[in-house]
Amino acid sequence: MSLSFEGRVVLVTGAGGGLGKAYALAFAERGASVIVNDLGGDIKGGGKSSAAADKVVEEIKAKGGKAVANYESVEDGEKLIQTALDAFGRIDVVVNNAGILRDRSFARTSDTDWDLIHRVHLRGSFLVTRAAWTHMKNQKFGRIIMTTSAAGIYGNFGQANYSAAKLGMLGLANTLAIEGAKYNVHCNTIAPVAGSRLTETVMPPDLLENLKSEYVAPLVLWLCHEDCHDNGSLFEVGAGWVGKLRWERTKGATVRHKTHHMSPEDVRDQWDKINDFTNADKISSIGESLQSLVSVLSQVESHEEVGANSTSSVALDSGFNYDAVVGQKLAPSQFSYSHVQCILYALGVGMSTKDPDALRYLYENHAEFSCLPTFGVIVSQDSLGGGLGSVPGLNIDLTQMLHGEQYLELFKPLPTSGTLTIHTTIADVLDKGSGAVILLDVSAYNGDELICFNQFSLFVVGAGGFGGKRSSDKVKPLVPPPKRAPDAVMIDSTTRDQAALYRLSGDWNPLHIDPSFAAMGGFKQPILHGLCSFGFAARHALKQYANNDAARFKAIKVRFLKPVLPGQSLQTEMWKEGNRIHLQCKVKETDAVVLSGAYVDLLPALDQAPEKLPETGGLQSELVFAEIGKRIKDTGAELVKMVNAVFGWEITKAGQSAAQWTIDLKSGSGSVHKGPYSGKADVTFTVSDEDFMQVVQGKLNPQQAFFSGKLKIAGNIMLSQKLEVILKDHAKL
Ligand code: NAI
């Protein structure tokens, strides 16, 4: 379909001749009402006449088009826009085109040469555009063109003043594009080449013949049409050709390190690398630019032992280095909180004094004051933001990251205050084609004690297709609800300020508070945090099936499907199957499912008969040693060759020695038996039953356990390195 401008009001500055005239005629031909502005002066900015604009208006009218003339200088921007409003009642398009030249070699450029050029090109474009801006914003439509020049982009002898002003217009356009985006006010820039009075003296006639202004106008019209969504772009155009420009940045080199100061010599020595455009990055926003700098900063920080002359470079391209990324641990972090954060979080997920039973989560002097179990995600999420951006080999655009799923398991009720240490591991990265899923396992410890474990499943849009696997046994799976009507339903309304309140618990993403930021993401208003709905759902299950008792909460898993708007009501549907409560959460007003495949696992109530423990003296590790014993039978001979050592084990429970075990990989084809070794074990490990299970389940890495004092090693410490092999391959339950 042809592009119509019927009903649109278009201002073209400097439309008395050259390019501007071609634009004005083309817009009018397609139905626009055109304001033909031209001061009618000479090429250097002198003089004034109404003739130029009048002639173009006449030509448009003769063809049946709509146009009015304006003879003001662009320095009187308001008056130009006023002409549009007076004649046609609105302004939709501004083409900043008026221009003059005062070419001089730099040394001979006078103040007037400089100022006049800036006044007409840069300041004029500013004043005209500012006068139109509010009208465009209010009507939620506007298209603005800035006219730059190859002289600005590349430089040109004798045009210092003009180059500076012209590239200034590009900078102006870049920011207008950002500020106008949410109002559908777009600003693009063109660098045209055309035969006109500005160029006729410098170009041969044959060439000029092929550089008609009519070959530039179609791009300008397209960029100004409502169907064109380009914004903040730069095009070169001429002779019937159109091309787009963008910035490129080399991978660069990090020449500073934590232990090494940066010197001019370091820069000199890295010069080739700094200048090497191989695999250059195409940075398109200040956010991307700063983001990569942030990752450089963390590289600098993490580089402790770098020789004086050595340097490291940071790969800033997008994509994954799977082998380098999976298994990586982020730097441990700490999260300190008091009862204030616990209460703030409870309010954030809709806990209210309307329910007398809620007081135990809202009043620090309540006899049973507790921290809501799902606060476990808050203590753990803090470590993500900065940490992920700095993982070598994980070069992702954090702005493209969506929260896909969440698993939380509690091993102890969360303390109501304290400092937890957070250990984060990239458990796996999955390739889902349209994106990648990063599985982050996060364990929070109170001293030696594991308090909770989170698995964040993060979907990075556009980062897939790296040839990775689609699924992983590390994923905590979703479970669909039973196929029957829910056993219980709870409905709770969120407030208009739910997200504003929830964010105070530490998720500062502006998507949840800033209307313009939300608009950029395509939302009509800021949306509720997925983890806030998650908190609501968990609270409902706890209330419905566990008497609101935090101590009975074991685990929760959810998938986030759709956003919730603050003010909407959440409807949690629940199915009880033993101690598992299956969940589905909907927005009541729209019936849209927002959390799916979800469940909460509860611990049995104390007054319920406890499950009978297997005959293991209550030690979980017994089962594991039995399993290791079984498996060693198959591969023992090989292991004996490889390891050639005897491992002694002291398993403790509540600080007391509870069992001794021997894994003998020195004699025969290996064996496992309960009790001490008859001779002297090569190495002896002392560890609590709980921590042993953590290690075996891969939730605690042996080195980490050692450094945090959870695993004590006596004897040949080097042999402990072989421990991981044994545990990994032989202790799977
Ligand atoms: P032109 O000289 O034919 O058109 C410029 C028009 O602007 C003239 O009609 C002039 O009277 C008007 N004008 C000058 N000062 C004004 C003011 N203060 N207020 C209102 N109107 C004023 O030149 P041309 O080639 O059509 O240039 C149009 C634009 O394209 C200019 O901004 C120029 O810098 C730019 N440009 C042109 C190139 C070319 O190859 N023709 C190359 C790169 C940029």
Side-chain angles (χ1 to χ4, degrees), residues 11 37 39 48 70-83 119 123-124 127-128 131:
L11 163 66
N37 157 266
L39 183 63
K48 191 174 163 60
N70 171 289
Y71 319 116
E72 307 290 344
S73 166
V74 285
E75 289 188 76
D76 285 312
E78 293 281 353
K79 292 186 181 159
L80 274 65
I81 300 303
Q82 198 56 50
T83 301
R119 276 168 45 194
R123 192 157 190 276
L127 291 166
V128 173

Side-chain angles (χ1 to χ4, degrees), residues 166-232:
K166 281 306 204 190
L167 214 57
M169 291 174 70
L170 177 63
L172 174 61
N174 287 341
T175 291
L176 294 188
I178 292 168
E179 290 193 15
K182 56 180 177 279
Y183 305 106
N184 190 21
V185 177
H186 294 176
C187 184
N188 290 291
T189 306
I190 61 162
V193 181
S196 73
R197 67 176 196 174
L198 289 188
T199 48
E200 66 193 357
T201 50
V202 289
M203 288 184 187
D206 283 359
L207 184 58
L208 288 175
E209 184 51 31
N210 280 300
L211 295 176
K212 291 203 170 86
S213 295
E214 289 73 18
Y215 302 151
V216 175
L219 169 67
V220 171
L221 265 70
W222 166 237
L223 287 173
C224 293
H225 197 269
E226 64 213 29
D227 288 354
C228 177
H229 300 293
D230 249 83
N231 187 20

Side-chain angles (χ1 to χ4, degrees), residues 646-648 660-662 664 666-667 673 675-682:
V646 175
F647 298 84
Q660 286 182 316
W661 284 88
T662 301
D664 180 353
K666 204 168 200 168
S667 45
H673 72 263
Y677 185 52
S678 49
K680 190 174 169 354
D682 294 285

Side-chain angles (χ1 to χ4, degrees), residues 321-329 425-429 469 474:
N321 179 347
Y322 182 86
D323 292 331
V325 167
V326 174
Q328 268 205 54
K329 295 180 191 334
T425 306
I426 301 180
D428 219 336
V429 180
K469 54 185 181 178
K474 304 253 174 53

Side-chain angles (χ1 to χ4, degrees), residues 209-528:
E209 184 51 31
N210 280 300
L211 295 176
K212 291 203 170 86
S213 295
E214 289 73 18
Y215 302 151
V216 175
L219 169 67
V220 171
L221 265 70
W222 166 237
L223 287 173
C224 293
H225 197 269
E226 64 213 29
D227 288 354
C228 177
H229 300 293
D230 249 83
N231 187 20
S233 298
L234 168 64
F235 302 89
E236 283 191 65
V237 51
W241 167 88
V242 183
K244 188 167 183 166
L245 281 86
R246 66 179 173 193
W247 293 97
E248 274 202 350
R249 189 176 70 182
T250 67
K251 286 272 178 267
T254 307
V255 284
R256 180 169 77 88
H257 300 290
K258 202 176 178 184
T259 53
H260 174 65
H261 218 68
M262 183 177 179
S263 70
E265 291 76 18
D266 295 328
V267 176
R268 176 197 61 199
D269 296 344
Q270 288 300 310
W271 201 235
D272 285 349
K273 200 164 182 183
I274 290 167
N275 286 282
D276 180 4
F277 272 95
T278 315
N279 297 326
D281 291 311
K282 282 92 186 170
I283 305 289
S284 62
S285 71
I286 194 162
E288 275 177 42
S289 165
L290 291 180
Q291 186 190 318
S292 43
L293 275 190
V294 169
S295 81
V296 167
L297 282 182
S298 48
Q299 289 280 309
V300 168
E301 275 303 302
S302 63
H303 254 263
E304 302 210 355
E305 292 168 46
V306 179
N309 290 320
S310 62
T311 54
S312 80
S313 75
V314 188
L316 297 176
D317 55 337
S318 62
F320 294 108
N321 179 347
Y322 182 86
D323 292 331
V325 167
V326 174
Q328 268 205 54
K329 295 180 191 334
L330 308 191
S333 62
Q334 297 215 307
F335 184 85
S336 297
Y337 63 101
S338 70
H339 63 274
V340 176
Q341 279 84 1
C342 300
I343 295 171
L344 192 60
Y345 173 78
L347 291 169
V349 297
M351 197 58 97
S352 158
T353 53
K354 271 188 290 190
D355 176 4
D357 199 21
L359 222 52
R360 66 167 88 177
Y361 296 108
L362 296 177
Y363 178 38
E364 70 283 6
N365 290 329
H366 189 280
E368 286 165 21
F369 179 58
S370 320
C371 180
L372 265 181
T374 45
F375 185 70
V377 294
I378 301 294
V379 306
S380 311
Q381 75 184 9
D382 216 40
S383 65
L384 307 183
L388 261 193
S390 63
V391 173
L394 183 65
N395 307 306
I396 50 160
D397 181 355
L398 291 177
T399 61
Q400 296 301 308
M401 203 161 74
L402 305 171
H403 198 165
E405 295 174 17
Q406 183 69 27
Y407 176 77
L408 164 69
E409 183 174 351
L410 259 62
F411 296 89
K412 287 269 147 62
L414 284 159
T416 51
S417 66
T419 298
L420 301 183
T421 307
I422 314 298
H423 293 277
T424 305
T425 306
I426 301 180
D428 219 336
V429 180
L430 311 182
D431 187 348
K432 298 284 186 187
S434 62
V437 170
I438 304 176
L439 289 184
L440 278 188
D441 284 356
V442 186
S443 299
Y445 293 89
N446 188 6
D448 286 355
E449 207 168 39
L450 178 67
I451 300 293
C452 66
F453 167 80
N454 273 277
Q455 184 173 76
F456 292 80
S457 172
L458 306 169
F459 188 84
V460 189
V461 180
F466 56 92
K469 54 185 181 178
R470 286 190 73 85
S471 58
S472 163
D473 55 4
K474 304 253 174 53
V475 175
K476 298 285 180 186
L478 297 156
V479 185
K483 288 193 172 41
R484 63 171 189 264
D487 303 332
V489 176
M490 255 197 202
I491 299 172
D492 220 344
S493 53
T494 66
T495 71
R496 181 60 230 246
D497 292 318
Q498 204 73 51
L501 179 61
Y502 181 84
R503 64 193 290 275
L504 302 182
S505 285
D507 185 335
W508 303 103
N509 189 339
L511 180 63
H512 306 293
I513 186 80
D514 183 341
S516 49
F517 198 89
M520 272 193 273
F523 300 106
K524 63 175 193 262
Q525 72 176 74
I527 59 171
L528 195 61

